[in-house]
Amino acid sequence: RLQQLCAPCADCGAAQAEWFSANLGVLVCLECAGCHRAMGTHLSKMRSLMLDASEPTLLALLLSLQTEELRGGDGLGLGGAADAAGAAGAAGAGNAGNAGGGGGGAARLGPNAVWEARLPPSVRRPSASDSAEGAGPREHREVFIRLKYEIREFVHRDATRGADELGRELWEACADATPLRALQLVAAGANVNFVQNGESCMQHAISSGNTLCA
């Protein structure tokens, strides 16, 4: 079903996204997968949709992430103009998050709703690896991907809220079967080891019957 989505690369917009990051939740092309691998497995765990045997639960989670949309109230408490700006960029924004040319608006559908929530129009994403003009400089692709995932430059953050407060929201999201919301909170710095009522986030997801977030 993932292949039937025909999802473009989340980083450059190439038509064939045949690789995925197991911990970042994005589908990418071969060129961008190479940049993910260069960051190291502690940042991005790459697998092939075609060549690697992956657990059904992992593939189900990946599919859910590609098709889930962040709700209007999922702006990490920012609200107001920023949420409105995010909603304005929703039209036609899929997994690639307006992945052609410049930054454009913020995606609201799929993992790029998290990783490109605050992507400014001035930031130029890498050329599509399957474009007629070629993939473009490798250095530009690597810099963009490191900014996006290692530094998390485009992730929405709320400096007024600490890791434990976000961890509490993560704990709740793990029971609500909203993996994209959980990804958003983790990317924003939530304490993934947060414990409430004697249960960690993972334990709470399992006890709630939400295997996707577990």
Side-chain angles (χ1 to χ4, degrees):
R1 292 186 61 187
L2 277 169
Q3 296 176 20
Q4 293 173 359
L5 281 178
C6 297
C9 173
D11 295 332
C12 74
Q16 295 297 322
E18 297 181 345
W19 293 78
F20 70 94
S21 174
N23 60 311
L24 301 177
V26 291
L27 296 169
V28 297
C29 67
L30 178 61
E31 289 287 336
C32 290
C35 295
H36 278 254
R37 287 189 181 277
M39 290 194 297
T41 56
H42 64 294
L43 289 173
S44 186
K45 298 177 173 61
M46 295 306 301
R47 296 190 185 181
S48 169
L49 284 173
M50 307 291 291
L51 304 176
D52 294 328
S54 299
E55 302 86 343
T57 52
L58 176 58
L59 294 177
L61 170 61
L62 193 62
L63 178 62
S64 177
L65 287 172
Q66 309 314 306
T67 56
E68 188 178 346
E69 183 176 358
L70 282 180
R71 298 188 295 265
D74 287 346
L76 290 174
L78 187 68
D83 271 347
N95 181 60
N98 305 323
R108 296 292 292 176
L109 179 70
N112 270 356
V114 173
W115 300 115
E116 296 187 4
R118 302 178 70 87
L119 179 67
S122 59
V123 172
R124 184 171 61 89
R125 70 173 66 250
S127 300
S129 60
D130 58 357
S131 70
E133 294 76 21
R138 166 84 176 201
E139 293 79 7
H140 178 213
R141 191 176 303 270
E142 288 184 345
V143 167
F144 178 82
I145 288 173
R146 285 189 178 274
L147 279 173
K148 182 175 174 179
Y149 302 108
E150 184 176 9
I151 301 176
R152 302 185 181 184
E153 182 73 16
F154 316 127
V155 170
H156 174 71
R157 301 172 189 265
D158 185 346
T160 67
R161 305 173 70 188
D164 283 345
E165 184 177 355
L166 294 175
R168 185 176 295 106
E169 291 195 30
L170 175 61
W171 191 87
E172 295 171 353
C174 284
D176 292 340
T178 52
L180 189 60
R181 171 63 170 164
L183 178 64
Q184 182 189 39
L185 290 162
V186 171
N191 177 10
V192 297
N193 297 315
F194 181 82
V195 175
Q196 184 167 290
N197 300 334
E199 287 185 329
S200 67
C201 294
M202 180 179 294
Q203 291 169 336
H204 188 48
I206 294 173
S207 65
S208 302
N210 180 14
T211 56
L212 286 182
C213 286

